[in-house]
Amino acid sequence: MKPSIRAVLLDMDGVLYHGDTRLPGARALLQRIEAMPHLFLTNNPRRTPEAVANRLAAMGLPRPQPTQILTSALATAERLARLKPGFSWFAIGEGGLEAALAAAGGRADVQRADFVVVGEGPGIDFDSLTTAINLILKQGAQLVVTNPDASVDDQHQGQHRVLPGGGALVAPIAIACEVEPLIIGKPQPTLFEMACARLGVEPADCLMIGDRPDTDIAGAMAVGMRAALVRSGRFGPDASWPADLPRPHWDAPDLQQLLTAIEPWLLG
């Protein structure tokens, strides 16, 4: 028999909510794991942890502490600080990314940046692409992207829409410079390793709950975590499992059925 699950990591968009709408079972799940070590992991670098916590509370979910929220922006900043303490950066993305880079001891430098960091959201235009390309080709800056998602889901005026993700936004720079970016977010191990370190647990003690086979599930299983897929995001109940990806330990259509399935394994 496998050991009990001692800690839980949760993706949010597509798991706990769609847009600004809470998904069925989200409150019950968070109440069940309230006494367990748990963190919220997201590839979205656009919001600060404080903004994410406020957003969850606005949906009627328990408000987590900002320290319980790990974004790809935070993971990127931590990784770059380890690579080069006091690093300089040129960033393309929204305020959450720049706030994380500055908090990690980095400084903005459009002339001699050590890293060109691409996140998500508005900011890419001809001038920013030109700046990024020249920093890489002429100054030797390293290209970094917060997450590899080609596209992400969004809600606008109550309607679903698809936005370009970090993988799509970094592509023009990578192509122009003929370089491969350093990728930080899921399925890369940095976010998962950062979560384990923050909780003080081993990967084998953790369950990752997510809605995307290629990021949440593949990434968690690669570092030795157990993984649960909930089919309430873009990967729906009728979607066929990708042949090249590992299957999760649990696969449920919604959080209510998932909670019933994992209950015998939850410690506490």
Side-chain angles (χ1 to χ4, degrees):
M1 184 173 180
K2 292 184 179 180
S4 298
I5 295 165
R6 299 178 180 274
V8 178
L9 309 179
L10 300 109
D11 184 52
M12 290 180 283
D13 194 358
V15 175
L16 301 177
Y17 58 79
H18 282 156
D20 294 323
T21 303
R22 184 178 76 234
L23 287 173
R27 178 187 285 276
L29 174 65
L30 295 184
Q31 289 174 335
R32 173 59 183 88
I33 67 171
E34 182 180 9
M36 297 178 63
H38 63 279
L39 292 175
F40 301 85
L41 271 60
T42 176
N43 264 2
N44 189 329
R46 300 173 66 175
R47 295 183 176 91
T48 64
E50 291 79 5
V52 173
N54 291 337
R55 187 168 190 233
L56 292 174
M59 296 179 199
L61 294 170
R63 186 185 189 277
Q65 294 298 318
T67 53
Q68 291 179 282
I69 296 166
L70 293 179
T71 70
S72 62
L74 290 175
T76 298
E78 181 175 287
R79 178 71 177 277
L80 299 188
R82 290 202 305 263
L83 288 174
K84 188 169 184 177
F87 64 94
S88 57
W89 47 268
F90 171 69
I92 300 175
E94 289 197 48
L97 174 57
E98 295 192 355
L101 295 172
R107 58 182 175 83
D109 188 341
V110 73
Q111 300 295 326
R112 294 187 175 276
D114 299 311
F115 301 102
V116 169
V117 187
V118 179
E120 288 183 353
I124 281 207
D125 57 20
F126 187 83
D127 289 340
S128 62
L129 287 175
T130 300
T131 298
I133 290 166
N134 281 276
L135 282 169
I136 294 167
L137 294 181
K138 294 188 175 182
Q139 301 296 334
Q142 183 175 1
L143 180 60
V144 182
V145 63
T146 58
N147 61 295
D149 302 77
S151 63
V152 294
D153 294 307
D154 185 55
Q155 293 280 335
H156 181 67
Q157 296 180 348
Q159 299 295 318
H160 173 264
R161 64 176 181 174
V162 179
L163 302 179
L169 295 173
V170 78
I173 304 171
I175 292 170
C177 298
E178 298 183 329
V179 298
E180 291 293 327
L182 172 63
I183 302 171
I184 303 297
K186 300 175 290 185
Q188 298 300 312
T190 301
L191 259 179
F192 300 105
E193 293 170 349
M194 188 176 173
C196 288
R198 187 168 289 191
L199 293 176
V201 297
E202 296 297 322
D205 296 326
C206 290
L207 169 68
M208 175 70 206
I209 300 176
D211 68 316
R212 296 189 64 149
D214 56 337
T215 55
D216 302 315
I217 305 306
M221 296 184 70
V223 299
M225 293 180 180
R226 278 167 282 181
L229 180 85
V230 58
R231 292 180 179 246
S232 50
R234 194 187 303 183
F235 192 81
D238 297 328
S240 300
W241 192 261
D244 58 337
L245 295 179
R247 287 189 174 272
H249 300 80
W250 292 275
D251 185 339
D254 54 51
L255 284 178
Q256 295 155 316
Q257 293 190 49
L258 177 62
L259 182 55
T260 298
I262 64 175
E263 176 61 45
W265 302 91
L266 296 179
L267 190 66

